[in-house]
Every structure is written in C-alpha cells, then in structure tokens.
Amino acid sequence: MKRERFKPPEPDDPLCCCGDIDQQREYCCCDCEELDDACERLVRGEQDKPDIFSRFVSCMADRLGLPCCAVGPLRLEISVLPPMVLIPGLLRVAAINCMLGVVVLTALPGLVLWYYYVTHRRKRRTLFFLSLALFSLAYMYYLFLTEIVPRGDVSNLQLVTVTTGMMLTLISLVRTKQGPGFVKSQSLAQGINSICTTNQSTNIPGDSAPCKGISQSNGENEGKKKLCPVCRQVRPPRAGHCRICGACVLRMDHHCVWINSCVGQANHRQFILTLLLFLVTSFYGISLVLRSVCPQQSLFTAMLYCPGVYNQYSTALCFTCVWYSVIITGGLLHLFILQIINVSYNVTEREAQIALRNKTGRRRFCGLVVETGMYSRGFLQNWIQFLTMNTDENGSPFTFTVMGP
C-alpha cells in the first residue's frame, strides 16, 4: 500500500506527537513519517539504515528540489532518460527521406503537447521537459561541431559567437532556476500581527478591521489580505499558489515546465532574458547551418526548397535538425512575445487567466492581449516598474499599512 507524502494537516486531523499542529515541519522535534518508514522496514525485515551513498544522493536531491525515484542504492529521475534516446533516434530516422521527416517532425510536437497536458492535468512535477530542452540544445551544438564546422564554411569568430550564446543561455537558465520568490509565512504573520496590535492600540472599531488592508511598498493598488486555502497563510496581492511547486509565489506569472520551476517576482526578468538569449543564438545558428547546407539559396528559400539535400545523409540530418530547431524556436518566440505584451500591460499570465474565467477582462489584438485594467499605468511606467521591482526573496517586497474602515 503506497502512502501519501506529507501534506498540511487538516483541522480534524490528530495532533502530531510533538503536540502542536501549527508548528513548522522543520522545527518539529521528530519526524513521524520517518518513524512510520522505520516501522514498515522492521515489519518487512528490510535493512534499517540506507548506505552512505544513497543518503548523500537523497539529501542532495532534496536540497536541489529534484524529484527522484529509488532504484536500489541509487535514486534516479526516470523522466530525464526518454529525451536522451528519442531525440537522436527520431531525428536520424527523419533524415532518411523527406516523407519520414514530415511524419516525425509533425508527430513529435504532438506527442510533447500530449504529455504536457497529461502532466499538467495531474499537477505532476517532471524533469522531462527540462531534459528535453537541455538535451536538444546540447545535441544541436554537437551536430554543429561535428557536421557543419568541418565543412569549412564557419569561421572561428562565428563558432565563438555560437558557443558564447549557448553558454550565456545556460548561465541565465541556472539563474532563473534559483527561485521565483516564495511568500514567507513568518514575515507575513508578523506584519499582520503588528497591524492588529497597532489598530487595537488606537481603538479602531470592529473586530476584523485591523487586518483587512495590505498594500505594496511601490504604491500599487491596495488589496485585501487573502488566505491561501492550501498553505494556510496570508499572501500579498498578485501572489498565487502553485499546486505543482506546493507553495505561494510572489507576483506569480505561471509554472514553466521547460525550466521545472515557477516564474515569479524573483526570476521573471531572468526568464525573459533566457528566452531572448536562446532566440538570438538559435536564429544565428540556423542561419549558419542553412548557408552551409544550401549555399545557393536564400535563408527563407532554403528552409522550403533545398535541392539535393537528401543526397547525402549528413546534409539531410543537418537539414532535419534545422526544421526541428525552427519548431522549438517558433514556440519559444510565441512565449516571448506573450511575455513582452503582458509586461507592457502590467498583467501576469495567472491574472489574465483569472480575468477570463471571471469575465472581468477583455481580449485585444486577436486574443494576444488580455487587459484587466487593475495595475496598468501606461507602457513606460509598466516597464520601469517591472525592471526595478524587488527580487530579494529574503527581504519583504511589500509593506503593511493600516487601512481605514
């Protein structure tokens, strides 16, 4: 019988052996889940303690937030492996002839989208999409070094430019994954308690009035405090709870499966920068490959018509990888455009979806823009606010002020 992992206790649940149901898990003097595991191992006759290597890998995975599955003494995320096998195999099959290329390059995005909707519906956290993105980037770069560079059509400066672009993209991706900016429950509780104490000392009438107002330090619209039904903590305006990450995120935009993390206040700018660096590097690499494979055609013509490209398997493989890169680049370009538009209107993807569901927002420009009219201050002011917003997770990005009754 498979037991569920730790979840926040409900009001009717029995108390922990420590006695305080509201106590933070990390401050608990014992671990009831580990106690249950020890009892199960004792009943089954399994070894009491894991080996040192297994404990080390488990600890590092927990610290990095990587979901793993136990396989003997090792812990491995199964969803990392399929892209490493499927991408090289499918692309090499697609390079055999034109018809196979059309079938594979049409079915592959459909399979990825199908798996995305399956994991999104079940609210599962997976490393499949992050592994697919990283391995695709690494495999494209490997083919560029082994198939295009030996042809002599790429100069050293162009090679250095592509390598630099790829490295900057990876560095920006690592910085994006450092965290979206989670709501700190302890600081919020202290802030609200201070408001209640201040209002009670000033004899403000009403029992619930002292804790109704929360405003942001940058002067945005004030909003009432909201209690997260999952985290059981007060969250500021524009914050949202991510069911995949299991936490409330400051100024939550969306949960991005390609980086296996939420996009929020702390990493939103870095996320857009990562998209920009990838798009520039990808467009430049695609142009270099097309000029080497189809030197007599223009860039746009070579993508649709490149005579003799399937005469040699190496050129056919490069041409197939160009179309695979174009598909990925097109999808990320659409995401980049949506992000730029949302920032220009000072609206997050989460706010846009909520506005459409509640029928409080209106679509513009063929549905690319969802205008809510809540936080927008004009194009220039919206971008200034976005580029200067606080990204310190340890510091409080908002302040509490007393709101009149």
Side-chain angles (χ1 to χ4, degrees):
M1 179 177 180
K2 185 177 180 181
R3 298 183 296 104
E4 294 181 355
R5 304 298 298 173
F6 175 81
K7 62 180 180 179
E10 299 296 335
D12 297 331
D13 287 348
L15 292 177
C16 173
C17 55
C18 297
D20 189 359
I21 197 172
D22 296 325
Q23 204 171 21
Q24 295 280 345
R25 181 170 175 83
E26 56 269 22
Y27 300 114
C28 188
C29 60
C30 67
D31 196 330
C32 299
E33 188 175 343
E34 291 187 0
L35 182 60
D36 293 341
D37 292 338
C39 293
E40 288 185 2
R41 290 195 301 267
L42 182 62
V43 172
R44 296 176 182 178
E46 300 176 358
Q47 60 177 357
D48 186 23
K49 295 182 180 180
D51 59 285
I52 298 177
F53 182 75
S54 177
R55 294 172 59 188
F56 173 78
V57 174
S58 175
C59 181
M60 292 299 298
D62 293 337
R63 290 289 184 268
L64 295 176
L66 301 178
C68 301
C69 61
V71 181
L74 299 178
R75 290 167 64 89
L76 181 64
E77 172 57 49
I78 300 298
S79 61
V80 176
L81 301 179
M84 299 181 182
V85 179
L86 292 178
I87 296 302
L90 291 179
L91 290 181
R92 291 188 177 276
V93 169
I96 296 178
N97 56 59
C98 182
M99 291 302 300
L100 281 176
V102 173
V103 172
V104 171
L105 294 178
T106 304
L108 185 59
L111 292 175
V112 173
L113 290 176
W114 170 79
Y115 186 69
Y116 166 76
Y117 284 113
V118 169
T119 55
H120 184 73
R121 185 174 64 251
R122 297 181 180 179
K123 305 298 181 183
R124 293 175 53 190
R125 193 167 188 174
T126 175
L127 293 176
F128 174 83
F129 300 98
L130 178 61
S131 174
L132 178 64
L134 293 178
F135 189 74
S136 297
L137 184 63
Y139 189 66
M140 296 301 105
Y141 185 71
Y142 168 76
L143 290 180
F144 182 78
L145 295 179
T146 57
E147 300 293 342
I148 301 301
V149 174
R151 294 171 177 266
D153 300 327
V154 178
S155 63
N156 293 332
L157 179 61
Q158 292 173 334
L159 177 60
V160 170
T161 303
V162 173
T163 305
T164 303
M166 188 189 70
M167 296 303 297
L168 290 177
T169 303
L170 294 177
I171 293 174
S172 182
L173 177 62
V174 171
R175 296 190 60 184
T176 304
K177 285 186 60 61
Q178 290 180 355
F182 296 105
V183 176
K184 302 295 183 180
S185 58
Q186 185 175 3
S187 61
L188 287 173
Q190 292 177 353
I192 295 174
N193 290 333
S194 65
I195 294 175
C196 298
T197 304
T198 303
N199 288 346
Q200 290 175 359
S201 63
T202 55
N203 297 324
I204 295 179
D207 295 333
S208 60
C211 299
K212 283 185 178 179
I214 298 176
S215 64
Q216 294 185 350
S217 59
N218 54 8
E220 286 187 357
N221 299 344
E222 290 84 9
K224 294 182 179 180
K225 67 169 183 139
K226 293 183 178 180
L227 182 65
C228 178
V230 181
C231 296
R232 303 293 183 184
Q233 66 182 14
V234 178
R235 61 190 185 196
R238 311 193 75 175
H241 182 85
C242 177
R243 297 182 180 272
I244 300 178
C245 295
C248 287
V249 180
L250 294 170
R251 198 183 178 277
M252 179 180 175
D253 188 82
H254 70 287
H255 182 90
C256 183
V257 296
W258 299 105
I259 64 174
N260 195 34
S261 174
C262 278
V263 177
Q265 180 172 284
N267 64 349
H268 200 169
R269 290 198 299 262
Q270 202 66 42
F271 176 73
I272 294 180
L273 179 61
T274 303
L275 290 177
L276 179 61
L277 290 173
F278 174 82
L279 291 174
V280 172
T281 305
S282 180
F283 281 126
Y284 186 68
I286 290 173
S287 65
L288 292 179
V289 174
L290 287 178
R291 286 171 182 165
S292 177
V293 175
C294 301
Q296 300 179 354
Q297 306 287 337
S298 62
L299 293 180
F300 294 100
T301 306
M303 291 181 56
L304 301 175
Y305 177 71
C306 186
V309 70
Y310 284 97
N311 293 338
Q312 291 184 342
Y313 184 77
S314 61
T315 57
L317 180 61
C318 294
F319 187 74
T320 304
C321 291
V322 164
W323 266 105
Y324 176 73
S325 302
V326 168
I327 294 174
I328 296 179
T329 305
L332 294 183
L333 178 61
H334 178 261
L335 177 59
F336 178 75
I337 293 175
L338 290 180
Q339 290 292 314
I340 296 299
I341 293 176
N342 288 342
V343 173
S344 301
Y345 282 85
N346 200 359
V347 61
T348 63
E349 188 65 26
R350 173 179 173 271
E351 293 169 350
Q353 296 298 328
I354 293 177
L356 292 177
R357 184 171 63 246
N358 298 336
K359 298 181 179 180
T360 58
R362 55 178 181 175
R363 292 181 178 270
R364 300 182 59 184
F365 303 108
C366 300
L368 291 176
V369 179
V370 178
E371 191 173 5
T372 61
M374 294 180 59
Y375 302 99
S376 181
R377 299 180 177 178
F379 178 83
L380 183 60
Q381 291 297 325
N382 291 340
W383 273 100
I384 292 177
Q385 179 188 1
F386 177 76
L387 295 175
T388 58
M389 66 180 178
N390 184 22
T391 59
D392 186 9
E393 293 188 29
N394 298 322
S396 179
F398 45 86
T399 58
F400 300 91
T401 58
V402 179
M403 303 293 296

